[in-house]
Amino acid sequence: MDGFETTINILVGTIRAGTPLVFAALGELITEKAGVLNLGVEGMMLVGAVSGFIVTVLTGSPYLGILAAIAAGVLMALIFGGLTQFLLTNQVATGLALTIFGVGLSAFIGLNYIGTPIQGLQPIAIPGLSEIPVIGPLLFNHDFLIYLSIALLVLVSWFLYKTRAGLILRAVGESHDAAHAIGYSVVKIRLLAIMFGGGMGGLAGAYLSLVYTPQWAENMTAGRGWIALALVVFATWRPARVLIGAYLFGGITILSLHVQAAGDSVSSALSIIPNPVGEWILAVINSSHLLATLPYLATVVVLALISRDATKIRLNAPASLGRPFHPGA
Amino acid sequence: MTAAQLELTGITKQYPGVLANDHIDLAIASGEVHALLGENGAGKSTLVKMIYGVVRADEGEIRWGGEPVKITSPSQARALGIGMVFQHFNLFETLTVAENISLGIDEEHDLKQLTSEIEEISEKYGLPLNPHQHVHALSVGERQRVEIIRCLVQDPKLLIMDEPTSVLTPQEVEKLFETLRRLSSEGCSILYISHKLDEIQALCDRATVLRHGKVTATCNPKEETPKSLAEMMIGSELPVCKRTAQARDSEVRLVVRNLTIPSPDPHGTDLKSINVTVHRGEVLGIAGVAGNGQKEFLAALNGEIMAAQGRIELNGAEISKVGPTERRARGLAFVPEERLGRGAVPDMSLSNNALLTGYREDMLSNGFIRFDKVRSYATAIRERFDVRSSGIEAEARSLSGGNLQKFIMGREIMMNPQLLILGHPTWGVDVGAATTIHQEIVDLAAKGTSVVVASEDLDELFEICDSIAVIAEGRLSPVKRTSETNVEEVGLWMSGQFEAGEGEVGHAA
């Protein structure tokens, strides 16, 4: 395989691996900007993934599957929203419970669908543009959801920073007491934000089960919900930086796969290095488990670096994040 | 008499266990500046919250321009033409001034147009403000302007101001009064809530006095004396704090040299090269508008934040490198501004709160707690400082602000500290309890304890302090004897106009 083609493949793979993270992180970003910390992203993604998959199998239409996944994500989020906003349960505990619930529920509903083959979502080549060398395959030969993820990113940015509704959302996340005193319905606004987060989580799940894999396997999100949560902090609550973070993570995922594949050819080259160092390096490269940790390790490193800048975090982080709102007398 | 703009009849509000408002009648004419006077807990805030639609009345009628109305939400109040500036600002720190103001407007509007409107109003009423600035970068006085302009852009017929001057310098207060007088001359009514008698006399046309949820008097404050107003407010004569003879002597207790600390909080203030000396028995007042470094200075003295440069000495020994526990062991005591959460643990009983800092008073034995000693210590505080609670096992959070403050002060004072550091000791405390606290501070100093007290209330500082200085933008002003300076000079310092001083009062032999 020629090196140039490999590079293009890696880049396209990067975008595909990053896209579910873009969806989930954008949803969580809106939720957190309203001041709510929902740790149930992983659970909402899984339920979204399995619902989308089953509906696609039953109807044959991946687009109906996507809609079902969004609806499932919203329903999951509503469980969280009802508990935290009306019954004032602790957000962290409720979010964790939602993830655990989602893992179990998705495994249960998906039991008979493991390994069922489906026709996943196909790429839509944009006529003309997709034939341009390099840029064509890279940017204009993707499935519908990748285009949608970019559109949603622009939409979320515009909403947050250019519209009045976005201003109110940020205000509620900044100080719910002040927002309440001025006369905004904190609970209603937060509930809407939580639902949006759920819908986006479901969509992220659908991308995995309908496009990326495409099949259903238990626990197939493999921690991507948690990565999406980390990405929101990584991006210091800025939508554009979510995209950068998601693609960075996607890129490292794909690279580690390619390194594993290349492991054999490397081993002969490494045999020149005397033992035991060469053997040790070989063992590391050949250990797929160790390589699979690479993206997660990278996330931890980047998060540690970002968190050093307290000012940046303070100015962008919603000040009421995770705090329950008790409308006082 | 012209028809009242706002008229309340028989307004009653019952909270569990307390009748906050008991058949209140109140009438405000158009263009009138009306004072609502009363101690903390008299029911002032509840009453205005009902006018602004935050709280619903149980009984009674509100008439607006002669028509009966039911005000069910703040946005409805705003639509009627009622604006309110809260004591605790409802601002969003990471948003700009214009965005903050925009959030308070219900009608459709254009942010650009609003920005020019803000500039216009800020020009017209002498409230300088840059609409594009982020609120976290503003001083407290500027933040209040944001709140006022937020009301003014909606062209109110009634402006409610809840204790607006508690955070302002004397000069800022004067400017605020000019703005309010101008508004009133244009026909806008103002309901002015305060317990500061001189302000009410200077500004208001009429006053309604509340005590324990009832109207006790309606009067023209200009025809009353501060004494008669105080009697209406607290039901008895205003107690005064008696100063004993000058206790301060030549023995140096606390020395701060070139103290420089970058604030750990990005919204905080850096301390810049602070020099000050406090003698035995001296009460030093630190004035200044909140957010100028007082919080950081007190934390540095207490050892919560460590000095980046410079040194702090207590009785000649350097303490700048040791933490709060070691400093306390050497005779330092600290009463922070926040009572619940920093001065006391809200969910713990008074006796356990007494143990937290008082354990040195023989309350431990081989690592075990001697509960009998803890109880007797807590009981002693409660009796000596007249703390009204259901007992020493009452949770700290169940006490009123004034009572809890008396308890915390008592806990520290009973340890006979060498140096007592106080943050806003009477903030939110009613007049009676405040006088008790002042008396304790003065008496303690008379016995030789040095006291550093930070407060925004200049009257308080002039009443209890031997010397006074200001922290403005992290710098310390010259230190002067309170007898050799006045409110005007200190007010100027508060706005940052001073040459860096020696940090020591010339010691008269």
Side-chain angles (χ1 to χ4, degrees), chain A residues 161 164 167-168 170-172 174-184 310-311 314-317 328-329, chain B residues 15 49 52 55 74-75 78 86 90-95 99 102-106 109 136 150 265-267:
Chain A
Y161 295 103
R164 179 164 173 81
L167 179 65
I168 294 171
R170 284 186 286 145
V172 167
E174 172 72 25
S175 165
H176 48 223
D177 292 323
H180 174 68
I182 295 176
Y184 293 109
T311 317
R314 274 286 292 274
L315 282 184
N316 286 299
Chain B
Y15 282 126
K49 277 184 186 163
Y52 195 58
V55 176
S75 58
R78 287 193 293 261
F86 289 88
N90 290 309
L91 295 176
F92 306 96
E93 299 216 338
T94 56
L95 306 183
E99 285 174 332
S102 160
L103 281 165
I105 303 173
D106 300 305
H109 61 276
H136 66 82
R150 174 144 82 187
D265 177 350
H267 295 174

Side-chain angles (χ1 to χ4, degrees), chain B residues 466-481:
Chain B
D466 301 303
S467 43
I468 190 164
V470 166
I471 291 189
E473 289 159 16
R475 295 186 306 130
L476 191 77
S477 75
V479 184
K480 276 204 179 174
R481 293 212 165 184

